Amino acid sequence: MKNWNQNLPQAAQDYLDGKRLDEVECIISDLPGIARGKAVPATKFIKQDYFHLPDSIFYQTITGDWGEAADDDGFIEKDMILKPDFETATAAPWTGDWTLQVIHDAYDRDDNPIPFSPRNVLKRVVQLYHDKGWTPVVAPEMEFFLVARNIDPAQEIKPMMGRSGRPAAARQAYSMTAVDEFGPVIDDIYDFAEAQGFEIDGITQEGGAGQLEINLLHGDPVKLADEVFYFKRLIREAALRHDCFATFMAKPIEDEPGSAMHIHHSILDIETGENIFSNADGTATDAFYHFIAGIQNHMPAGLAVMAPYVNSYRRYVKDHAAPINLEWAGDNRTTGIRVPLSGPKARRVENRIAGMDCNPYLGIAVSLATGYLGLIEQTKPRDEFKGDAYEGDGDIPQVMGDALDMFEGAKALHEVLGPEFARVYSIVKRAEYEEFLQVISPWEREHLLMNV
């Protein structure tokens, strides 16, 4: 791997300027979005072009168990070939030595992309756009909670203690004073992001107690998914430095809003660079409406990916800053699909469905996939919703089991995401859901034990 360091992004080169690189973390995202891989000495890394991991990492559930992975060959844990993408090389500034992280892509022994690797799924969807002469552009928003350390799962999650010595307060959206309460954590988030070469568009206080939102600049879907993948780790590390946890659970605290990953979409024509959602006179194009229709028609089946856990569905409740349906409207945050205020060149569609607990590669992939199907099918959306969409009917699954049923029957969506990915994803999520159904909750013990 000659001259590998010359291929590093500038931020990584700056981080190592005058330093001796000690270690490289070779990582890949599994289905939940956890970083899997190996940490190797830098002297070994520069001598290797790839390394191996078993494909079973993609059959592992969030609890560490395994889905029934049998296919025609049985469950034999084939080795994958993981190759580094040097454009993703970035610092791990919280470590005690000089360490880089590098995201790898997964291939089989015939050099074909592993179809159920989340980054490969997103690349597949983006390539479908390119084949049509389009460039998809996204901008994710990340919501999360800073909470008190919770080492006993039987205990409720509580807001973190701010620098004032008081617990974080709810319903302080956009308050700068509330943001200042978490100043030391936010300072480390900024410092880590700068060291990693990431640009934050802004940090705001959201409506929940200790809930923050980070906005990222728009750009290439794979690059932005890489950044969200990295951001989840750096935010957790920043929180741990200050005796608190950062959580990306969709609904960590009762009676508080949940955490979303809103995704803004626009599509550019590859030849002209123009936004295909706007005509020359500034009006909306048919493609703009087709994209919205695709989300409306196919997102119910894609929800199992955008909301991947039983907890995810606790977020979709009326009047708690999360949608209950797929109505669309301009500048209306009660709808599942929002068209933000903008000029014609920046016309975009905001998908407000995804929870922050979803894998960023898969969440963005499914959102783009549904819009792509609308563009191909050239369907029309429902009429623009007027008023409060919480007064409308819900049209998305309310429990994980129903969402999985819809996903498993969504053949058109499978063809865009990849049938083999759909098969493996369903196996893993069924295993997780069935394990959850074996758990008896405190609510059941409290209300059913002596009363039924």
Side-chain angles (χ1 to χ4, degrees):
M1 196 180 293
K2 296 180 179 179
N3 301 321
W4 68 275
N5 55 333
Q6 296 179 5
N7 297 322
L8 299 180
Q10 189 60 49
Q13 294 186 42
D14 292 343
Y15 177 72
L16 292 176
D17 187 27
K19 311 294 191 309
R20 177 181 177 275
L21 177 62
D22 292 297
E23 190 174 70
V24 178
E25 296 179 347
C26 306
I27 59 176
I28 186 170
S29 167
D30 66 1
L31 290 189
I34 298 169
R36 306 280 181 184
K38 296 180 179 180
V40 300
T43 52
K44 179 180 179 180
F45 178 78
I46 62 176
K47 297 176 183 177
Q48 69 181 32
D49 294 318
Y50 58 87
F51 75 100
H52 294 122
L53 278 184
D55 63 3
S56 58
I57 66 168
F58 296 118
Y59 290 92
Q60 194 166 14
T61 69
I62 194 66
T63 64
D65 291 324
W66 308 91
E68 292 293 333
D71 54 21
D72 292 341
D73 298 321
F75 188 26
I76 60 176
E77 291 197 277
K78 302 173 187 175
D79 263 348
M80 303 180 295
I81 298 170
L82 271 65
K83 301 179 183 180
D85 181 346
F86 286 106
E87 292 183 1
T88 70
T90 187
W94 49 83
T95 57
D97 53 16
W98 298 96
T99 300
L100 289 182
Q101 308 169 81
V102 181
I103 294 172
H104 286 55
D105 284 315
Y107 300 86
D108 64 19
R109 281 168 282 188
D110 295 322
D111 209 32
N112 299 309
I114 298 296
F116 37 81
S117 171
R119 197 169 192 252
N120 287 342
V121 174
L122 178 54
K123 283 185 172 184
R124 173 191 174 98
V125 175
V126 170
Q127 186 59 50
L128 290 175
Y129 276 86
H130 291 171
D131 292 345
K132 295 294 183 181
W134 303 322
T135 298
V137 177
V138 302
E141 300 173 354
M142 301 180 294
E143 296 177 350
F144 60 95
F145 279 83
L146 296 175
V147 300
R149 293 178 71 94
N150 183 289
I151 58 175
D152 181 359
Q155 298 298 314
E156 293 182 356
I157 296 172
K158 297 179 180 179
M160 71 167 284
M161 198 72 68
R163 66 174 187 166
S164 66
R166 302 179 65 184
R171 291 172 288 280
Q172 297 297 324
Y174 306 108
S175 165
M176 295 310 300
T177 300
V179 169
D180 289 343
E181 278 285 273
F182 319 119
V185 182
I186 292 174
D187 286 345
D188 277 351
I189 290 173
Y190 274 123
D191 289 345
F192 289 167
E194 183 179 2
Q196 294 187 245
F198 303 148
E199 188 170 355
I200 295 175
D201 197 37
I203 294 182
T204 58
Q205 164 76 22
E206 278 294 320
Q211 187 182 32
L212 299 173
E213 178 181 280
I214 293 179
N215 298 332
L216 302 181
L217 297 175
H218 64 273
D220 173 75
V222 178
K223 180 178 182 295
L224 268 298
D226 288 339
E227 289 194 14
V228 176
F229 175 60
Y230 276 140
F231 258 107
K232 282 190 169 185
R233 189 178 185 192
L234 80 83
I235 291 168
R236 287 192 183 100
E237 292 290 342
L240 287 172
R241 283 193 168 192
H242 300 279
D243 199 35
C244 63
F245 290 170
T247 180
F248 302 95
M249 280 180 66
K251 187 80 166 183
I253 304 175
E254 292 181 14
D255 299 322
E256 296 285 355
S259 290
M261 185 179 75
H262 299 152
I263 309 169
H264 294 247
H265 303 276
S266 56
I267 312 296
L268 305 182
D269 182 281
I270 288 178
E271 291 187 1
T272 67
E274 296 296 324
N275 186 347
I276 73 168
F277 289 166
S278 293
N279 289 308
D281 62 2
T283 58
T285 62
D286 288 342
F288 169 75
Y289 294 109
H290 296 330
F291 191 92
I292 292 173
I295 297 176
Q296 287 186 329
N297 293 335
H298 296 281
M299 186 52 67
L303 191 66
V305 182
M306 308 287 272
Y309 306 105
V310 288
N311 176 264
S312 308
Y313 297 82
R314 300 186 188 280
R315 183 176 144 254
Y316 304 117
V317 294
K318 290 185 177 182
D319 301 316
H320 264 64
I324 62 169
N325 54 43
L326 288 164
E327 301 294 351
W328 79 274
D331 195 29
N332 184 339
R333 286 180 169 82
T334 68
T335 57
I337 305 167
R338 171 176 171 258
V339 180
L341 292 175
S342 72
K345 289 186 177 297
R347 181 174 276 116
R348 60 194 185 275
V349 176
E350 179 189 9
N351 185 343
R352 298 175 62 81
I353 290 292
M356 196 60 226
D357 54 346
C358 78
N359 180 308
Y361 298 103
L362 299 181
I364 294 173
V366 168
S367 197
L368 284 171
T370 59
Y372 174 83
L373 285 169
L375 291 168
I376 298 304
E377 295 165 350
Q378 298 189 355
T379 44
K380 293 183 179 180
R382 302 192 290 268
D383 291 340
E384 181 176 2
F385 193 87
K386 304 297 183 182
D388 185 350
Y390 290 130
E391 297 177 357
D393 295 328
D395 60 6
I396 57 177
Q398 292 297 297
V399 295
M400 185 71 188
D402 292 345
L404 281 172
D405 288 344
M406 294 191 70
F407 176 75
E408 288 165 355
K411 301 306 180 185
L413 187 59
H414 295 179
E415 287 302 314
V416 178
L417 299 173
E420 184 64 3
F421 160 74
R423 183 187 73 84
V424 172
Y425 188 83
S426 179
I427 287 170
V428 172
K429 290 302 165 181
R430 280 290 176 192
E432 289 178 354
Y433 185 58
E434 288 169 7
E435 183 174 353
F436 171 80
L437 292 178
Q438 304 303 314
V439 178
I440 308 303
S441 70
W443 186 94
E444 292 166 280
R445 289 191 291 269
E446 179 179 353
H447 298 290
L448 305 182
L449 181 66
M450 301 297 290
N451 295 326
V452 297

